[in-house]
Amino acid sequence: MKLDSMNPPFRAPRATYRVQLHAGFNFGQLAQIIPYLDDLGISDIYASPVFRATPGSTHGYDVCDHNEINAELGGMDGLMKVSGLLREREMGLLVDFVPNHMGIAVPFNWRWMDVLEHGHFSRFASFFDIEWNPRQVSLQDRILVPMLHNFYGRVLEAGEIQLKYEKAAFWVCYRSLRFPLRPESYTAILQRLAWFKNPGTPLSQKLDHMAEQFRALPKSSATESMEEVEQRNRRSHGLRHELAELIEAENLTTDLDLALAALNGKPGDAASFDNLHQILEEQNYRLAFWKSGTHEINYRRFFAIDTLVGLHIEVQEVFDDCHRLLKHLIEKGGVTGVRIDHIDGLWDPAQYLERLSILGRNESPPIYLLAEKILGDGERLPEDWAVHGTTGYDFSGDLINLLIESRSETQFTRLYREFTGMHLDPREQAYELKLFVMEELFSNVIDSLALELEAQVKSDRRWRDWTVNDLRLALSRIIACLSVYRTYRRVDQNPGATDVAVVGRAVAEALRRNRSSDPIPFLFILDLWTGRYPDARAAPELKTWADNWVCKLQQFTGAIMAKSVEDTFFYRYVRLFAANEVGHDPAEFGHPVSVFHEKNRARLRQWPTSMLATSTHDTKLSEDVRSRLLALSELPERWESSLKKWSARNHSFKTQLDDLPAPDANEEYLLYQILLGVWPIHGESVDDVFRDRIKNYMRKALSESKTNTNWINPNKSWLKACDNFIDAILDRQRAGSFWDDFLPFATEVVWRGMNLSLTQVVLKLTSPGVPDLYQGNELWDFSLVDPDNRRPIDYALRHELLQSLAKASVQDLFQSWEDGRIKMYITRALLRHRRKYPQLYSQGSYVPIEMIGPHADRFISFMREDDEKQLLVVAAIRMGDSEADHSRKMGTGTFLSGLKPSPTWHDLFSSREIAKQATDLPLDLLLNGLPVGVFRTTH
C-alpha cells in the first residue's frame, strides 16, 4: 500500500539536515546547533542510528541493541533533550533504523551471546539468520566465528585463547574479545577444580556433584519447545548462581585460577593444549581464522562483514522485539520519521514496511518513512510499498547525467583507454567483476543455494539428472546479469510483471554470454524465479519451498551487486570518477535536459516527498568534489594534454614491483582526478593532513579495486609504493614541474566546480521532493568517501558566517566565493522561502521553460506554480569559455521563452525587481553575472 503523501495528518519535512552521531559528536553537541539549523531554514534533523552500537563506532550501523539508546551519544536523556528542543521550534527528528542486521562484536550483543552460549536452546536461536545444518560437517549445529588473527591451531598453541572466570561465568577470552562457555563445559573445569581440592573431601564432592548437574542439563536440539528452552535456561542460570555462591563462600578464587591455568596450556608444549582444544570443540561455535569466513560462514551477513549478522525481521516476534523502543519514541513524538537502512537485505521488504507504517499508529499520526533503495537502470520504486520515497540516490544520479557534458564522451573514452590500456567495455567489466566477487566473497552463498536447489530437484524425476555444478553455473551467471539490486517476489504471491521482465532479461543476457553452456538449467531457474515452476498441480510443500528459495536468493543479490559494482567496479573503471556514484551507472555519460525535467515531473506525480540528496554518508565524493569533476567533462582536450604531461613528469617517482610500475596507470589516472577534486581553494601548498587524506583514500580505493591489492590479502609493497608516489608528487621541491602545470589547471577546475556546485544547490532546493543537506555542506566541503566524510564540522565558524549574511550582498559574496558564504547565502534564501511557501514546493506544478539563443544548451530553467504563486528557476549546467565573466557572456542573446504573463519578477537572492518584458526574458538580465537565479512573482 503506497502511503498518501498529501493527506493530513501526515507531516513531511521541508528540508532535512543529516548528522553523523558518535562519541565525538553526541546529543549534547547536536542540541547546541539546533538554533543554527533552524535559522538556516532546516525543518528536520536526519540522524545516523541512535541505538546502542559497538563501543567506539563512528557510524552506528553496528547496532547491538535496538531497545537501548546509545550511551556514548548521551543515552535516552540526551535524545529526549534534543527531541524537546526540536518540538519547541516545530522541527522534527528523522532517525536511521537498521532492521536487516546487528553488530556482534562480542560481548556487546547479549542476544547473540545467548545464542553462542546455549545454541538451539537459546530463546534467540531463531532471532538470527543462521544455517544450523550447513554442508560442513564440523559446523553442524554450530556457528562459525571467524575472528582470529591467524589459524586456529597457531593462535591456540600460542596461548592467546584462554579460559577465564568473570561475573559468575566462564568465558573463552581472545585478546579484547570474550565468548561464553556453554553450560555443559563447566563440567570439565569443576572436575579439575575438585581434583585440586583433594578427591573425597566434602568440598571436592560438592564440586563433583555440581559438575554432574551441569553435565545432566538437557541436550539442545532444533525441536525443543519454548517451555523446554525456558526450563533448561532457568536451571542453567540457577547452577551458575550456586557456583558463584560456592566460590565466594569457600574462597576458591585462587584454586580456580590454578585449575584454569592448567587447562589453558603452556606455549611451547603443544600437548598441554589438548584439554582446552577439547573444551573449545564442545562449544556451540567454532573459533576460526578471519579469512575462513569468506567461504565457510554459516550465518547471513551484511554484505561480507563477519561482525554484522542478519536478522529474521520477517518473524513477527523478532519485529516486535526489535521495534519496542522505536514504537515508544514514535508514540511519544520523540521521532517523527524513519529512514530504513538496507531494505534490499530483508526477506520481504513490502511486509516490513506495512508493519512499520502502522507502528504506534494508535497513539500518534503517521510518520515519514524513507527506504534506502538504489534504483537500477530504468527501475522504479515499487508503488505498493508503504513508504514516502527513497533517500535520494536517484536524484543525485539525475544531476550527474544533467551536468556531464555528454558531447565529450568519445574523447574521454578514447583517452582513458589509451592512458590505461583498459579496452574492456565497462558493462563487460562489471559482469566479470560480479562473477569474481561471487567467488571471492559469496561463494558459500552460491554453493548453499545451488546445493539446496539440487537436493530439491533430485525428488523431481523431470529434473533430477541436473548436477549441482550445472545449477551453480547457471545461477551465478544469471545473478551477474541482473540489472537491478533485487526482485521482490513474496511468499504465496505471484511475482509482479516488472520482476518477471527483469529476470527474463537477465537470463537472456546470461545465455548470450554463455553460448557453450546448456541453456536448460538457465531456463529452469527462470521458471523457478518467476513462479512458473512448480506448476499448479504441485504439492503445497513444493510451492512453499520454491517461494522460500527465491526469497532467500533475493536477500543476497543486492549484496553481490553492491560489493561488485559500488565497491569494486567503481574503483576499477574510472573514466570520469564523478560518474561513479551511488545511484548512477559509470557507463552512462549524460542525458538531455529533457530527461531531468521528466524525472522531476515523475517524482512530483508519484513520490512528491521523496528525499533529494547530493552528499550522503555513502557517496563516493562530496557534492563539491563531484562538481569539480563534472566540470572536468567540459575540458577533454585540456585534461588529455595535462594528464600526459603529469604522467611523464612523475614517472620517475614510481616503484618497479615485479616489472610493473606502482601505482599502475589506472590508479594514477584516478589519483589526478582526486587531487583536482579536493585541491585547496588557495592551493599554493598542501600540508601533512592533506597528504594523509590522499594516501588513506588511495589505500581504500586500491583495496576496493582488488587489482593489485585487497582487504583480505593486502599487498603491502604496492601500498607503500603508492604512498611514496603521493608523497613525491605533493612535494613541491621534488615535483616542481608537475606543480607548475597542475596549479593553473586546478585553479580553472576549482572555479568551474564552484559554479556547478551552486547549480546543484539551486536544483536540489527547488525540485520536487524533500532536499537533504549533509553535515557541513552548507559551505564548501571537499570530502571523500567515508571515513573522510565523518571529519569534525566547525559549527562555530558556520554560525558566525550565517550571522554575517544579514548585511551581505549576493554580488559581493560571489566575488569572494572562496569563503563559501555564497553557497550558504543561496541555501538559506531558498530554505527560508520553502518555509514561507511550503505548498508551492510540495505540491506546486513543475513546468520546463524553453530557452532560445546561442547559449540555450548551457542552462536549465523551470517554473514551480501553485495558485497565484510562481517560482522561476534558472541555472547554468555548462561553463563554456574560461573567462571570469562567463555568466554574462553565456547569457548574451539567449532568452527564456513561453513564460506566463507576470508584471514583475522579484530576485530571491537580492532586492532586484525585473519587469516583465514585452518580449521573452533575456537570460543575462536575469542572472546579472551569477550562474544561478531564482525569482518569485510579487502577487
Side-chain angles (χ1 to χ4, degrees):
M1 56 171 188
K2 180 178 178 181
L3 295 180
D4 190 340
S5 299
M6 299 297 188
N7 293 334
F10 167 73
R11 176 195 179 278
R14 292 189 315 274
T16 60
Y17 190 93
R18 170 73 179 202
V19 291
Q20 294 293 117
L21 297 169
H22 47 79
F25 186 81
N26 58 26
F27 293 137
Q29 284 97 335
L30 176 57
Q32 293 174 11
I33 68 169
I34 288 174
Y36 159 75
L37 296 177
D38 186 21
D39 190 23
L40 187 63
I42 296 297
S43 70
D44 291 66
I45 300 293
Y46 167 26
S48 60
V50 300
F51 304 94
R52 186 182 185 189
T54 301
S57 175
T58 60
H59 50 77
Y61 288 98
D62 45 359
V63 173
C64 297
D65 192 339
H66 290 93
N67 293 312
E68 182 179 346
I69 300 300
N70 195 341
E72 291 187 353
L73 306 183
M76 180 63 81
D77 289 343
L79 177 60
M80 288 299 97
K81 179 181 178 181
V82 166
S83 179
L85 292 172
L86 291 172
R87 278 198 299 270
E88 289 175 6
R89 295 174 177 270
E90 298 183 346
M91 299 172 69
L93 177 62
L94 172 65
V95 297
D96 204 334
F97 194 79
V98 186
N100 174 70
H101 55 269
M102 293 184 79
I104 52 171
V106 293
F108 309 113
N109 188 325
W110 59 271
R111 292 174 179 82
W112 179 251
M113 297 294 283
D114 195 81
V115 174
L116 294 184
E117 181 176 359
H118 297 291
H120 277 302
F121 263 117
S122 170
R123 61 193 178 102
F124 300 107
S126 60
F127 199 90
F128 302 101
D129 196 348
I130 301 166
E131 175 55 72
W132 291 101
N133 188 33
R135 67 183 187 279
Q136 299 97 327
V137 175
S138 64
L139 289 176
Q140 296 292 316
D141 293 323
R142 300 177 76 189
I143 304 168
L144 186 75
V145 180
M147 295 187 181
L148 303 180
H149 76 283
N150 206 332
F151 292 99
Y152 163 77
R154 296 178 184 178
V155 174
L156 176 71
E157 294 176 13
E160 295 187 73
I161 301 175
Q162 300 277 288
L163 294 176
K164 293 183 181 180
Y165 181 78
E166 297 175 356
K167 299 179 180 179
F170 289 108
W171 300 89
V172 176
C173 298
Y174 164 70
R175 294 187 171 180
S176 62
L177 303 177
R178 63 179 188 171
F179 308 87
L181 207 65
R182 70 193 296 251
E184 291 87 343
S185 295
Y186 283 41
T187 300
I189 300 173
L190 294 180
Q191 287 176 336
R192 179 62 63 100
L193 181 58
W195 181 82
F196 266 74
K197 301 307 295 181
N198 298 321
T201 64
L203 177 57
S204 175
Q205 291 175 347
K206 284 184 181 180
L207 291 168
D208 280 333
H209 178 66
M210 188 166 287
E212 287 304 313
Q213 288 182 294
F214 275 107
R215 187 199 304 275
L217 286 170
K219 301 296 181 258
S220 63
S221 71
T223 59
E224 62 266 0
S225 67
M226 185 53 64
E227 182 179 352
E228 290 174 307
V229 168
E230 294 294 344
Q231 288 177 354
R232 181 184 188 277
N233 289 344
R234 281 197 300 270
R235 181 58 180 152
S236 172
H237 292 150
L239 287 173
R240 280 173 44 179
H241 181 68
E242 291 176 30
L243 175 61
E245 289 182 336
L246 181 63
I247 290 173
E248 183 176 0
E250 299 290 345
N251 194 23
L252 293 176
T253 303
T254 300
D255 292 319
L256 182 58
D257 288 343
L258 291 172
L260 292 175
L263 285 170
N264 283 333
K266 181 179 180 181
D269 180 2
S272 69
F273 291 94
D274 290 349
N275 290 327
L276 178 56
H277 170 66
Q278 182 59 41
I279 290 174
L280 293 175
E281 287 296 281
E282 297 172 356
Q283 301 315 303
N284 298 308
Y285 52 88
R286 194 190 97 199
L287 296 179
F289 186 20
W290 67 270
K291 289 185 178 181
S292 67
T294 300
H295 298 287
E296 294 194 351
I297 202 81
N298 63 325
Y299 55 84
R300 180 171 58 86
R301 304 171 290 176
F302 171 70
F303 291 176
I305 303 174
D306 294 333
T307 54
L308 297 176
V309 64
L311 294 173
H312 278 308
I313 206 71
E314 68 276 7
V315 176
Q316 186 70 55
E317 179 186 2
V318 179
F319 178 92
D320 293 341
D321 184 87
C322 288
H323 292 79
R324 280 187 289 111
L325 179 54
L326 181 62
K327 181 176 185 291
H328 172 77
L329 293 172
I330 292 171
E331 289 175 346
K332 299 303 180 183
V335 165
T336 57
V338 179
R339 179 255 197 199
I340 302 102
D341 179 67
H342 191 50
I343 196 155
D344 278 346
L346 303 185
W347 177 267
D348 187 343
Q351 175 207 62
Y352 175 79
L353 291 170
E354 289 164 7
R355 291 173 174 174
L356 187 63
S357 68
I358 61 173
L359 194 69
R361 181 70 68 85
N362 294 334
E363 303 291 335
S364 60
I367 58 171
Y368 181 59
L369 295 180
L370 290 176
E372 186 217 12
K373 169 61 187 166
I374 301 171
L375 298 172
D377 184 27
E379 184 182 12
R380 295 181 178 180
L381 191 65
E383 292 191 0
D384 62 341
W385 278 12
V387 70
H388 294 103
T390 73
T391 50
Y393 301 140
D394 44 332
F395 179 76
S396 178
D398 295 342
L399 274 180
I400 290 171
N401 279 326
L402 175 70
L403 299 178
I404 286 182
E405 174 52 270
S406 58
R407 289 172 292 193
S408 299
E409 180 176 11
T410 301
Q411 291 166 281
F412 266 82
T413 301
R414 176 190 53 76
L415 170 61
Y416 181 57
R417 289 177 175 175
E418 290 177 355
F419 187 87
T420 63
M422 297 177 64
H423 295 281
L424 190 63
D425 179 86
R427 301 193 189 280
E428 294 290 330
Q429 191 174 13
Y431 171 78
E432 295 294 337
L433 288 175
K434 287 180 184 179
L435 294 177
F436 169 76
V437 164
M438 272 188 271
E439 294 304 318
E440 289 294 305
L441 300 179
F442 297 97
S443 62
N444 62 319
V445 172
I446 304 302
D447 287 345
S448 176
L449 288 165
L451 285 166
E452 184 181 346
L453 185 56
E454 186 233 12
Q456 185 60 45
V457 301
K458 288 298 183 188
S459 63
D460 188 331
R461 65 190 184 195
R462 292 169 298 173
W463 303 108
R464 69 181 188 181
D465 292 329
W466 288 117
T467 68
V468 69
N469 289 336
D470 296 321
L471 297 169
R472 190 187 192 284
L473 183 143
L475 179 61
S476 64
R477 270 51 178 181
I478 294 170
I479 293 173
C481 291
L482 206 62
S483 62
V484 297
Y485 277 68
R486 65 165 286 172
T487 54
Y488 297 98
R489 177 171 166 183
R490 304 180 68 180
V491 172
D492 294 330
Q493 291 188 16
N494 292 325
T498 299
D499 284 351
V500 171
V502 164
V503 179
R505 288 195 298 269
V507 171
E509 178 67 10
L511 288 172
R512 184 188 69 81
R513 292 177 179 274
N514 297 272
R515 298 184 188 279
S516 63
S517 298
D518 192 322
I520 296 180
F522 291 78
L523 298 175
F524 171 70
I525 292 173
L526 170 64
D527 286 347
L528 173 59
W529 200 332
T530 57
R532 292 194 290 266
Y533 177 89
D535 60 30
R537 297 169 297 172
E541 295 80 9
L542 182 57
K543 293 180 180 179
T544 299
W545 169 83
D547 281 345
N548 289 336
W549 186 87
V550 173
C551 286
K552 180 180 179 181
L553 165 66
Q554 291 175 146
Q555 286 185 282
F556 289 103
T557 59
I560 292 168
M561 176 79 87
K563 293 304 296 181
S564 58
V565 177
E566 294 172 45
D567 293 342
T568 306
F569 176 60
F570 275 17
Y571 292 101
R572 197 176 288 197
Y573 181 77
V574 294
R575 174 181 59 174
L576 181 67
F577 200 64
N580 295 23
E581 196 52 88
V582 182
H584 187 263
D585 182 352
E588 289 187 338
F589 211 91
H591 288 160
V593 174
S594 59
V595 174
F596 183 81
H597 286 315
E598 181 49 41
K599 293 291 185 70
N600 272 346
R601 286 189 289 194
R603 189 182 312 106
L604 181 61
R605 290 192 305 269
Q606 300 166 351
W607 304 99
T609 51
S610 189
M611 185 174 278
L612 310 177
T614 45
S615 282
T616 77
H617 62 284
D618 279 331
T619 46
K620 305 302 182 186
L621 304 171
S622 73
E623 60 192 48
D624 295 324
V625 175
R626 193 182 316 117
S627 292
R628 290 184 180 182
L629 298 187
L630 289 169
L632 186 64
S633 70
E634 273 201 274
L635 307 169
E637 292 84 7
R638 292 275 303 280
W639 171 236
E640 179 172 9
S641 62
S642 298
L643 188 65
K644 291 178 178 179
K645 282 186 286 187
W646 300 342
S647 181
R649 292 172 182 177
N650 294 332
H651 182 75
S652 62
F653 300 129
K654 293 190 174 188
T655 303
Q656 291 296 123
L657 296 174
D658 298 326
D659 296 325
L660 296 173
D664 67 21
N666 199 52
E667 294 160 351
E668 185 181 11
Y669 187 97
L670 172 62
L671 173 60
Y672 293 136
Q673 291 184 78
I674 295 304
L675 289 178
L676 288 171
V678 300
W679 197 257
I681 290 174
H682 299 289
E684 296 301 317
S685 63
V686 295
D687 57 17
D688 289 340
V689 173
F690 182 87
R691 292 186 186 90
D692 287 343
R693 286 180 60 210
I694 299 299
K695 286 190 285 188
N696 289 337
Y697 171 82
M698 289 302 295
R699 279 178 166 257
K700 178 168 184 171
L702 269 58
S703 298
E704 296 285 14
S705 169
K706 305 173 185 65
T707 302
N708 296 304
T709 185
N710 59 51
W711 295 115
I712 297 175
N713 297 298
N715 185 335
K716 295 180 180 180
S717 296
W718 195 276
L719 292 171
K720 179 62 176 175
C722 293
D723 282 350
N724 292 340
F725 183 79
I726 293 168
D727 281 332
I729 69 172
L730 293 183
D731 185 334
R732 192 163 188 173
Q733 288 187 329
R734 296 178 64 189
S737 61
F738 164 65
W739 280 65
D740 291 343
D741 193 77
F742 179 84
L743 285 180
F745 189 53
T747 300
E748 173 75 7
V749 170
V750 165
W751 185 81
R752 286 171 172 268
M754 176 273 296
N755 284 273
L756 288 187
S757 284
L758 297 182
T759 290
Q760 283 194 124
V761 170
V762 166
L763 295 181
K764 180 172 69 174
L765 296 182
T766 57
S767 291
V770 177
D772 174 59
L773 275 68
Y774 185 73
Q775 58 180 26
N777 277 237
E778 61 271 29
L779 292 180
W780 305 132
D781 181 86
F782 302 104
S783 295
L784 298 166
V785 72
D786 70 287
D788 193 62
N789 60 16
R790 295 200 295 269
R791 289 173 296 143
I793 307 299
D794 188 344
Y795 283 109
L797 170 65
R798 281 161 174 77
H799 181 266
E800 178 184 342
L801 293 180
L802 187 64
Q803 299 306 307
S804 74
L805 298 182
K807 299 180 181 180
S809 105
V810 68
Q811 295 296 332
D812 290 342
L813 293 175
F814 187 64
Q815 292 302 314
S816 58
W817 60 267
E818 293 91 343
D819 62 13
R821 288 189 301 159
I822 181 63
K823 186 180 183 185
M824 178 180 279
Y825 183 95
I826 290 173
T827 299
R828 184 188 68 164
L830 290 171
L831 288 177
R832 289 184 172 185
H833 195 255
R834 292 181 70 95
R835 178 159 57 194
K836 189 173 182 180
Y837 303 105
Q839 187 167 304
L840 172 63
Y841 291 91
S842 64
Q843 300 181 33
S845 63
Y846 181 96
V847 181
I849 301 300
E850 182 184 359
M851 277 177 285
I852 55 175
H855 305 293
D857 62 340
R858 294 179 181 171
F859 287 88
I860 184 172
S861 181
F862 56 84
M863 183 180 293
R864 305 297 308 279
E865 186 172 11
D866 178 63
D867 296 329
E868 294 184 346
K869 293 183 290 293
Q870 295 176 328
L871 192 76
L872 177 63
V873 179
V874 185
I877 58 174
R878 306 280 182 270
M879 292 300 103
D881 58 55
S882 60
E883 280 80 7
D885 62 344
H886 79 285
S887 299
R888 293 180 186 275
K889 291 192 173 184
M890 281 201 295
T892 302
T894 302
F895 298 85
L896 274 65
S897 176
L899 291 173
K900 291 184 178 181
S902 175
T904 308
W905 291 101
H906 181 82
D907 189 341
L908 223 60
F909 303 145
S910 72
S911 58
R912 287 192 311 143
E913 291 189 352
I914 302 171
K916 179 70 170 68
Q917 310 285 309
T919 58
D920 297 323
L921 273 176
L923 191 57
D924 55 354
L925 174 65
L926 283 173
L927 293 178
N928 196 29
L930 297 177
V932 293
V934 181
F935 309 87
R936 63 175 177 83
T937 55
T938 56
H939 293 301

